[in-house]
């Protein structure tokens, strides 16, 4: 009897808690279902058809669209370009942002101004960034004049128009836009590290470098892992900047998965095939995000996730 | 604190300025723009619309989607609709004027919902064919049988699918070479080249004088595809082009020959610096290169003068210092030397449209309406027989002269075929001028894409 009463009251307490939470979450859940879950299901459905978006959805092809993507050298090239951006971001962009954050975490005059300046590019819309950099990098543009003025005549070349350099030029623009974001993120992380810990290390005779390597960085771990995570996902979904500057060209040299998806779907009206590419992109991000949270960010998220 | 706030203010202003400066250039059209306004509407008085007996006095609403969203075209369409409804009081026209790209997105959404407009913009060709095959467009062959001779036959045929008419054109332009007359004079060229051999010599002459011979917008791959399409039209003729477009067999040796010919030009390195990243319109564009004399010639449609004007910061009035000559003839090729490549604008009738729609369409392409379009000199080259003389702008008149000589006008390949195949053609040809492809690889890539759809 007592047990039954106890469990009933726990049940009703649970129900009340769920009811209350559910009531408040309902609008968000409804929006999520309509604008996120439903389109995902739709895309998955379309990906199994040969469909140009106009005629009836009646030409079922099964997984053929996925086979076609996986056999298309242009798509594989796009995957490679995404990987290139991921690797470069992790190898260059994040360390650069970290270095700046460490510098700007010290006390000196003008620190706030510098933080603002470094953060500014992140505030500018991606499309505007792309247009401004296309203007700067075009022949006879700012970069051309700048290099010539400083005696580096001949150092300029139209990097965005060269299949060999276009990816590096794009990576440069991406870094320019996003290093400030990672810097601010890491700076916030650094400010959460108690000064006493570093002081203690210094008293124990650790050099500045040793203090960073063995005290600061491990304590900055959670922030760094978030930074790396956002950088990877951002690099995989890269679209606006590429579409506006090069549209994936010259001749697919800067294609990314998202650009390829948009081009095949909305420019060439292969909505079935485009949906298949979208599904691949979605699964890739989804699996990566889950795996990363499960294994890399596990300790950081303790209590926020459940493990089955 | 105030210092920080001020810097935020400066930053915000900077962003605003940057976005304001660039917004004008931020939306290059992905396809040929359809109207290039140049002069104020000339208020030609009009005859009353053909007042056929309006037997059905029941009120009818015609939904009409067009893309002349700027004056003078916008006003002219509005005037014509008002005149028609004045003569047919039972008809109401619901006019929806959209920007070119916005229209494409909107129409796709409408057609997918099954909410088909009664009368809507079409470019004919493969796009129209897809709509026809999806059963969204009305066969108007019988309705227009009595008056279809009033429309330029070549233009009308672009809106026919399997011999049946699904649309009526009101505009047909021709792609040809636009050139800066000053660059030609500076290089001592007195007469535009008439043959391919002369053309190559012209390129070399310009280059020897330190003048960039050709502006090419390599980022917008449809512009480069014009070269291959034209050499294909010359080498394959109407029969060869029809065969390729309708059967999907893009392997004929004449198409390889077309690529080889284009390659002769590419090998002379005639294009401006960084052309592979140049869009057609906006900053660093092919139009801007032409406007600033960083390119003596450009193979482009009749909308070039307007876009060059827009990209010159207003320093070059429309058409000033520009000449036009048709794509050079090719010695010993089967194609008629005057055959053209072009395209234009028309209207298709939705499958559920009320019968009055075709009558209204007839009024929109009547000789009077067409002449009023011509008189605007806006880049719309009317296709109603007898209206040609209404175009007075000299450069546009030369395009029309070229169109009159053309016995056959090939619709732009990316519109004659499906969007899917069109994209593949543009990409394959880009490989040729970017140096990653060969004349053979172009036809192979196109054939593979045609087989895959």
């Amino acid at each position: 009897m007592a047990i039954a009463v106890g469990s009933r009251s726990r049940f009703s307490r649970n129900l009340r808690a769920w009811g209350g939470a559910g009531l408040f979450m309902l609008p968000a859940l409804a929006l999520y279902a309509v604008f996120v879950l439903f389109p995902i299901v739709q895309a998955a459905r379309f990906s199994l058809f040969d469909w140009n978006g106009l005629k009836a959805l009646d030409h079922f092809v099964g997984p053929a669209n996925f086979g076609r993507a996986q056999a298309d050298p242009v798509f594989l090239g796009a995957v490679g370009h995404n990987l290139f951006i991921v690797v470069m971001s992790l190898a260059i962009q994040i360390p650069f942002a970290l270095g700046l954050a460490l510098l700007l975490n010290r006390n000196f005059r003008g620190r706030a101004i510098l933080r603002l300046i470094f953060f500014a590019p992140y505030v500018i819309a991606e499309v505007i960034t792309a247009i401004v950099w296309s203007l700067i990098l075009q022949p006879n543009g700012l970069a051309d004049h700048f290099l010539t003025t400083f005696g580096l005549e001949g150092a300029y070349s139209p990097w965005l128009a060269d299949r060999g350099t276009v990816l590096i030029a794009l990576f440069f623009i991406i870094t320019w836009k996003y290093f400030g974001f990672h810097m601010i993120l890491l700076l916030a992380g650094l400010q959460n590290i108690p000064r006493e810990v570093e002081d203690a290390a210094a008293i124990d005779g650790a050099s500045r470098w040793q203090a960073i390597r063995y005290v600061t960085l491990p304590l900055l771990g959670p922030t760094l892992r978030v930074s790396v995570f956002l950088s990877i996902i951002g690099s995989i979904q890269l679209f606006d900047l590429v579409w506006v500057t090069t549209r994936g060209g010259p001749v697919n040299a800067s294609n990314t998965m998202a650009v390829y998806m948009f081009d095949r779907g909305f420019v060439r009206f292969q909505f079935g095939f485009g949906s298949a590419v979208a599904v691949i992109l979605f699964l890739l991000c989804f699996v990566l995000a889950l795996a990363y949270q499960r294994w890399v960010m596990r300790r950081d998220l303790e209590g926020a996730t459940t493990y089955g | 604190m105030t210092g920080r706030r001020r810097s935020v203010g400066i930053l915000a202003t900077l962003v605003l300025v940057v976005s304001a400066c660039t917004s004008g250039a931020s939306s290059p059209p992905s396809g040929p723009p359809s109207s290039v306004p140049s002069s104020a509407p000339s208020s030609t008085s009009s005859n009353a619309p053909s007042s056929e007996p309006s037997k059905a006095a029941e009120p009818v609403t015609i939904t009409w989607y067009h893309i002349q969203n700027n004056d003078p075209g916008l006003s002219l369409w509005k005037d014509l609709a008002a005149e028609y409804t004045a003569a047919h009081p039972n008809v109401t026209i619901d006019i929806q004027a959209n920007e070119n790209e916005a229209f494409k997105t909107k129409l796709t959404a409408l057609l997918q919902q099954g909410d088909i407009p009664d009368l809507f913009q079409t470019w004919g060709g493969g796009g129209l064919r897809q709509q026809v095959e999806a059963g969204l467009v009305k066969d108007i062959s019988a309705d227009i049988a009595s008056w279809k001779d009033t429309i330029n036959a070549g233009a009308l045929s672009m809106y026919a699918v399997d011999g049946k008419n699904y649309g009526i054109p009101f505009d047909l332009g021709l792609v040809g070479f636009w050139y800066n007359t000053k660059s030609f004079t500076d290089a001592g060229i007195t007469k535009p080249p008439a043959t391919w051999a002369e053309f190559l010599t012209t390129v070399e002459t310009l280059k020897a004088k330190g003048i960039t011979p050709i502006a090419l917008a390599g980022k917008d791959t449809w512009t480069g595809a014009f070269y291959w399409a034209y050499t294909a039209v010359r080498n394959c003729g109407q029969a060869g082009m029809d065969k390729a477009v309708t059967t999907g067999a893009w392997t004929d040796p004449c198409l390889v020959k077309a690529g080889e010919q284009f390659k002769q030009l590419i090998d002379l390195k005639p294009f401006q610096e960084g052309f592979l990243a140049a869009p057609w319109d906006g900053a660093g564009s092919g139009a801007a290169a032409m406007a600033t004399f960083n390119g003596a010639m450009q193979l482009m449609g009749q909308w070039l003068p307007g876009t060059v004007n827009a990209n010159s910061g207003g320093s070059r009035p429309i058409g000033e210092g520009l000449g036009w000559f048709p794509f050079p003839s090719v010695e010993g090729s089967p194609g008629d030397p005057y055959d053209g490549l072009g395209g234009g604008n028309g209207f298709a009738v939705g499958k559920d449209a009320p019968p009055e729609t075709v009558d209204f369409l007839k009024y929109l392409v009547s000789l009077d309406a067409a002449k009023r379009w011509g008189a605007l000199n806006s880049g719309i080259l009317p296709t109603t027989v007898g209206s040609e003389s209404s175009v007075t702008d000299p450069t546009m008149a030369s395009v029309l002269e070229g169109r009159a000589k053309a016995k056959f006008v090939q619709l732009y390949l990316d519109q004659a075929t499906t969007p899917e195949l069109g994209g593949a053609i543009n990409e394959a040809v880009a490989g040729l001028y970017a140096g990653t492809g060969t004349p053979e690889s172009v036809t192979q890539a196109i054939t593979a894409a045609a087989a895959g759809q």
Side-chain angles (χ1 to χ4, degrees):
Chain A
M1 259 326 236
I3 294 165
V5 168
S7 73
R8 189 184 308 148
S9 75
R10 195 185 305 143
F11 173 76
S12 65
R13 219 183 313 129
N14 262 341
L15 190 72
R16 218 176 311 135
W18 270 100
L23 195 69
F24 285 109
M25 284 195 296
L26 197 63
L29 279 179
L31 285 177
Y32 186 76
V34 172
F35 292 110
V36 179
L37 294 181
F38 179 66
I40 291 174
V41 173
Q42 280 289 64
R45 191 163 79 94
F46 294 157
S47 72
L48 302 174
F49 288 85
D50 177 17
W51 187 47
N52 65 12
L54 291 173
K55 58 184 184 191
L57 193 64
D58 57 5
H59 189 185
F60 185 81
V61 293
N65 283 332
F66 293 92
R68 192 174 140 199
Q70 168 258 302
D72 184 354
V74 177
F75 178 69
L76 296 180
V79 176
H81 301 151
N82 277 115
L83 280 179
F84 175 82
I85 300 287
V86 169
V87 170
M88 291 288 276
S89 294
L90 298 186
I92 293 175
Q93 185 182 334
I94 303 246
F96 180 62
L98 178 65
L100 275 179
L102 286 169
L103 284 177
L104 291 182
N105 196 34
R106 297 181 178 188
N107 262 325
F108 60 92
R109 279 182 71 84
R111 185 172 74 153
I113 302 284
L114 279 179
R115 284 181 190 172
L116 185 78
I117 290 173
F118 290 146
F119 189 63
Y122 179 68
V123 180
I124 300 171
E126 207 157 292
V127 172
I128 292 171
T129 307
I131 293 171
V132 168
W133 276 101
S134 319
L135 282 169
I136 293 175
L137 294 178
Q138 70 176 338
N140 254 322
L142 195 64
D144 195 348
H145 285 297
F146 186 83
L147 290 172
T148 312
T149 309
F150 285 89
L152 291 161
E153 243 160 294
Y156 171 83
S157 92
W159 293 291
L160 285 174
D162 185 331
R163 287 175 49 80
T165 54
V166 63
L167 262 190
I168 293 166
L170 280 173
F171 172 71
F172 175 79
I173 303 174
I174 294 165
T175 304
W176 178 85
K177 178 155 170 55
Y178 287 104
F179 81 92
F181 169 73
H182 292 289
M183 181 199 76
I184 290 283
L185 207 64
L186 294 168
L187 209 46
L190 282 174
Q191 289 180 343
N192 274 335
I193 298 174
R195 172 61 46 93
E196 294 81 10
V197 188
E198 281 164 356
D199 287 348
I203 289 167
D204 285 347
S207 66
R208 173 87 188 131
W209 166 245
Q210 282 172 325
I212 291 176
R213 172 69 188 83
Y214 295 105
V215 179
T216 313
L217 281 187
L219 287 172
L220 194 59
T223 318
L224 259 177
R225 286 190 280 273
V226 169
S227 204
V228 165
F229 178 63
L230 292 177
S231 184
I232 293 176
I233 294 291
S235 304
I236 290 180
Q237 295 182 333
L238 185 63
F239 174 73
D240 318 33
L241 230 146
V242 180
W243 185 256
V244 177
T245 45
T246 66
R247 215 159 292 159
V251 198
N252 301 319
S254 62
N255 239 338
T256 66
M257 281 186 275
V259 166
Y260 181 83
M261 171 190 78
F262 186 84
D263 178 71
R264 293 308 191 270
F266 290 92
V267 177
R268 302 196 186 178
F269 279 64
Q270 301 166 240
F271 281 97
F273 181 62
S275 297
V277 177
V279 168
I280 295 174
L281 192 54
F282 168 76
L283 286 179
L284 202 68
C285 287
F286 192 65
V287 169
L288 208 87
L290 282 186
Y292 194 85
Q293 296 199 340
R294 183 85 165 79
W295 284 296
V296 182
M297 291 166 71
R298 180 174 200 161
R299 275 174 307 160
D300 311 334
L301 297 169
E302 212 108 87
T305 53
T306 49
Y307 300 103
Chain B
M1 204 54 190
T2 47
R4 187 175 302 173
R5 196 170 298 154
R6 198 179 307 134
S7 3
V8 172
I10 291 170
L11 176 68
T13 321
L14 179 76
V15 174
L16 277 179
V17 168
V18 168
S19 52
C21 291
T22 50
S23 66
S26 66
S27 56
S30 83
S34 58
S35 81
V36 185
S38 66
S39 59
S42 55
S43 54
T44 327
S45 67
S46 65
N47 313 326
S50 61
S51 42
E52 268 179 27
S54 44
K55 16 193 171 166
E58 292 164 38
V60 167
T61 300
I62 297 172
T63 323
W64 177 28
Y65 277 76
H66 70 70
I67 58 166
Q68 278 66 39
N69 61 324
N70 286 311
D71 268 335
L74 180 68
S75 296
L76 180 53
W77 282 143
K78 208 188 260 171
D79 292 348
L80 289 167
E83 288 156 24
Y84 186 82
T85 47
H88 300 78
N90 65 319
V91 178
T92 313
I93 315 276
D94 174 13
I95 306 179
Q96 302 283 339
N98 284 271
E99 186 276 327
N100 191 56
E101 293 304 309
F103 165 78
K104 289 183 192 166
T105 315
K106 197 159 190 177
L107 183 73
T108 309
L110 286 172
L111 294 179
Q112 284 179 2
Q113 289 160 24
D115 193 3
I116 305 154
D118 299 321
L119 190 61
F120 57 93
Q121 162 75 28
T122 175
W123 293 270
L128 181 63
R129 174 180 283 270
Q130 283 188 337
Q131 292 163 4
V132 169
E133 284 169 357
L136 306 168
V137 191
K138 196 181 216 167
D139 174 6
I140 53 171
S141 313
D143 308 272
I144 65 162
S146 63
W147 55 273
K148 72 173 185 189
D149 291 345
T150 63
I151 306 294
N152 177 304
L156 188 67
S157 70
M158 292 174 179
Y159 301 81
V161 175
D162 300 331
K164 291 177 189 146
N165 298 99
Y166 291 92
I168 301 285
F170 62 90
D171 163 51
L172 175 62
L174 206 65
V175 172
F177 274 106
W178 292 91
Y179 65 98
N180 278 316
T181 46
K182 180 179 174 294
S183 304
F184 272 36
T185 317
D186 288 352
I189 300 163
T190 48
K191 178 166 91 43
T195 66
W196 188 249
E198 284 176 28
F199 176 70
L200 295 179
T201 313
T202 303
V203 166
E204 283 174 323
T205 310
L206 285 162
K207 224 178 157 184
K209 291 275 177 186
I211 300 167
T212 306
I214 296 176
L216 180 66
K219 181 182 165 194
D220 284 315
T221 48
W222 52 267
T223 65
F226 284 163
Y227 283 89
W228 188 80
Y230 244 126
T231 48
V233 166
R234 290 280 176 274
N235 283 289
C236 303
Q238 180 173 9
M241 294 311 288
D242 283 349
K243 196 182 123 204
V245 170
T246 52
T247 64
W250 293 81
T251 42
D252 197 287
C254 68
L255 292 166
V256 177
K257 220 171 148 197
E260 283 165 357
Q261 206 161 44
F262 184 19
K263 189 100 194 338
Q264 293 175 345
L265 174 64
I266 295 164
D267 289 344
L268 296 178
K269 301 199 187 312
F271 309 119
Q272 83 278 21
E273 189 188 15
F275 70 94
L276 285 175
W280 154 239
D281 191 3
S285 65
M290 192 88 181
T292 54
F293 299 95
N294 183 25
M297 300 181 275
Q298 184 146 236
L299 183 62
M300 191 50 65
Q302 71 284 358
W303 54 85
L304 177 135
T307 317
V308 163
N309 164 262
N311 280 278
S312 71
S315 66
R316 292 191 60 175
I318 291 178
E320 194 171 284
L322 289 174
W324 188 90
F325 63 90
F327 195 86
S329 64
V330 170
E331 301 85 339
S333 68
D336 185 280
Y338 292 113
D339 283 350
L341 175 77
N345 298 281
F347 290 118
V349 178
K351 73 170 164 100
D352 302 320
E356 285 82 355
T357 310
V358 179
D359 189 52
F360 173 55
L361 178 53
K362 183 183 171 189
Y363 182 62
L364 291 180
V365 296
S366 63
L367 183 58
D368 171 62
K371 279 183 173 168
R372 283 156 74 184
W373 259 120
L376 295 178
N377 287 306
S378 64
I380 295 277
L381 303 179
T383 45
T384 308
V385 177
S387 66
E388 292 83 356
S389 57
S390 60
V391 176
T392 51
D393 177 273
T395 49
M396 288 302 145
S398 52
V399 177
L400 265 180
E401 207 177 296
R403 191 183 90 183
K405 283 185 196 157
K407 293 193 195 94
F408 161 65
V409 178
Q410 170 64 50
L411 180 58
Y412 313 118
L413 290 182
D414 55 359
Q415 285 180 3
T417 60
T418 58
E420 179 178 349
L421 188 52
I425 293 175
N426 293 348
E427 185 182 317
V429 176
L432 200 56
Y433 56 80
T436 60
T438 62
E440 290 79 15
S441 76
V442 174
T443 56
Q444 283 157 5
I446 299 171
T447 307
Q453 55 177 5

